[in-house]
Amino acid sequence: MASILDSVNQRTQMVGQNRLELLLFRLTGKQRFGINVFKVREVLPCPKLTAMPNRNPLVRGIAHIRGQAISIIDLSMATGGPAITDIENRFVIISEYNRTVQGFLVGGVDRIMNINWEDVMPPPKGAGRDAYLTAVTEIENELVEIIDVERILADIVPINSDVSEEVANAEINVAKEDLTILITDDSSVARNQIKRALQSLGIHLEVRKNGKEALEYLKDKAKELGGSAHTHVPVIVSDVEMPVMDGYTLTAEVKADPDLRDIHVILHTSLSGVFNQAMVKKVGADDFIAKFHPDELATAVQKWLNTVVA
């Protein structure tokens, strides 16, 4: 187990090329689940938990770790399963999502696997809207489920997706009727949050679930226009973690295409604890915004439209 904990800490600085490192874990049964190593601060045996009055039932308690009080969420209960028992012998994955730090109580931690995003698929359609999955992949002939953590956190602490009146009323000095903002995110919760924040701009929104779908849309648009697509699709707001093609690869493909390279790419990701401006510039993106602050996102889009689009 010590080698797994060491590996998590060592690998959180990796910037992939359409690759993903998954920390595999189990909840209460044999099914294995995965979480992106980039989002993991550390893994440790479950510490002593302090119960808090009026807490959400999915939060098993508060742990004091390295001088910080961290909520510990039972990941089995959060996905509709039974409560994890014998927690003194279980593990906690400390992670950072959307500018917050929380711990996920899990039954056991397996190991880290390095895979290609092309081998990660959207969840089966039969899973239904209520399934807490964002993707699945196959490892050693076994289906590994990747949980939509953003949805779980939104269920526990709902996020306000509305922009302020000041931002909503800010002037955009371009003709809006011919413009489209492309949103790319595999999480249904994140897609809805982004749409709600950007609808106030009064510009048409196109939504895709992964980088491959987004790139196909852009290439079709460029072909339709017979040249550069940025005059009609000036901005892409893209997640980083997505099945089939991640946001980094999408960015590289866009910037390498003469008909697409002038499009402003904003990487909008819950990986707030790891990815900084230097990493974003390395892959050619124009901006980086950690999820989720609606005013910050809407303002970034407004600023670009007012300064660049003619």
Side-chain angles (χ1 to χ4, degrees):
M1 180 58 62
S3 62
I4 292 178
L5 308 190
D6 292 342
S7 295
V8 168
N9 292 326
Q10 292 169 1
R11 298 184 186 192
T12 51
Q13 299 303 314
M14 185 191 75
V15 177
Q17 297 295 323
N18 209 38
R19 297 198 67 83
L20 165 70
E21 284 197 316
L22 282 179
L23 173 64
L24 304 183
F25 61 90
R26 302 180 193 273
L27 296 176
T28 59
K30 295 182 179 180
Q31 174 64 49
R32 286 196 293 181
F33 299 87
I35 184 173
N36 192 335
V37 169
F38 283 144
K39 294 182 175 179
V40 177
R41 281 192 171 187
E42 61 180 319
V43 180
L44 65 161
C46 184
K48 180 180 179 180
L49 302 183
T50 302
M52 300 295 289
N54 302 318
R55 72 180 188 277
N56 186 295
L58 302 180
V59 178
R60 298 292 294 269
I62 303 296
H64 294 273
I65 301 172
R66 309 191 194 288
Q68 185 175 8
I70 298 176
S71 297
I72 306 300
I73 299 166
D74 188 320
L75 201 50
S76 177
M77 293 178 64
T79 53
I84 293 174
T85 58
D86 190 24
I87 63 174
E88 296 82 3
N89 296 311
R90 305 307 180 187
F91 293 87
V92 169
I93 300 172
I94 305 298
S95 68
E96 185 164 354
Y97 277 81
N98 299 356
R99 312 187 193 202
T100 64
V101 177
Q102 51 279 310
F104 296 116
L105 178 65
V106 300
V109 178
D110 190 353
R111 55 187 164 135
I112 290 172
M113 294 293 293
N114 187 309
I115 61 176
N116 195 304
W117 273 112
E118 293 179 357
D119 297 324
V120 180
M121 297 292 114
K125 292 183 179 180
R129 293 179 59 187
D130 294 330
Y132 287 87
L133 300 181
T134 188
V136 296
T137 190
E138 186 175 298
I139 296 177
E140 298 170 343
N141 298 317
E142 178 184 336
L143 191 69
V144 173
E145 300 179 350
I146 302 175
I147 295 174
D148 189 348
V149 176
E150 290 176 72
R151 171 170 177 171
I152 290 172
L153 296 180
D155 286 347
I156 296 173
V157 183
I159 295 176
N160 180 13
S161 303
D162 295 323
V163 299
S164 65
E165 185 175 348
E166 178 183 359
V167 173
N169 292 333
E171 186 176 359
I172 297 179
N173 301 316
V174 294
K176 301 178 182 180
E177 55 271 12
D178 294 328
L179 299 182
T180 293
I181 297 172
L182 177 59
I183 298 168
T184 309
D185 202 301
D186 63 320
S187 169
S188 61
V189 169
R191 290 195 301 271
N192 289 332
Q193 290 171 343
I194 298 167
K195 284 193 295 183
R196 188 173 180 88
L198 297 184
Q199 280 171 347
S200 63
L201 303 182
I203 296 175
H204 176 69
L205 305 176
E206 280 288 337
V207 180
R208 296 296 184 270
K209 296 180 180 179
N210 60 61
K212 183 174 183 290
E213 291 182 2
L215 186 62
E216 289 173 350
Y217 167 79
L218 292 170
K219 286 182 176 293
D220 287 344
K221 179 60 67 173
K223 184 177 180 180
E224 174 189 325
L225 296 172
S228 179
H230 88 282
T231 55
H232 287 262
V233 188
V235 179
I236 302 171
V237 178
S238 177
D239 188 20
V240 168
E241 297 179 282
M242 294 179 290
V244 186
M245 180 185 290
D246 67 11
Y248 286 119
T249 303
L250 170 62
T251 300
E253 292 285 344
V254 167
K255 295 303 180 181
D257 190 319
D259 290 333
L260 306 178
R261 62 189 177 196
D262 291 329
I263 297 175
H264 191 77
V265 179
I266 299 174
L267 290 181
H268 183 244
T269 172
S270 58
L271 297 169
S272 55
V274 177
F275 293 95
N276 55 32
Q277 293 290 346
M279 293 178 179
V280 170
K281 295 299 182 184
K282 182 178 179 180
V283 297
D286 300 288
D287 204 353
F288 164 80
I289 299 176
K291 294 177 179 175
F292 180 73
H293 195 294
D295 275 10
E296 186 176 353
L297 177 60
T299 299
V301 174
Q302 289 172 339
K303 180 180 178 181
W304 176 253
L305 293 176
N306 282 332
T307 57
V308 177
V309 178

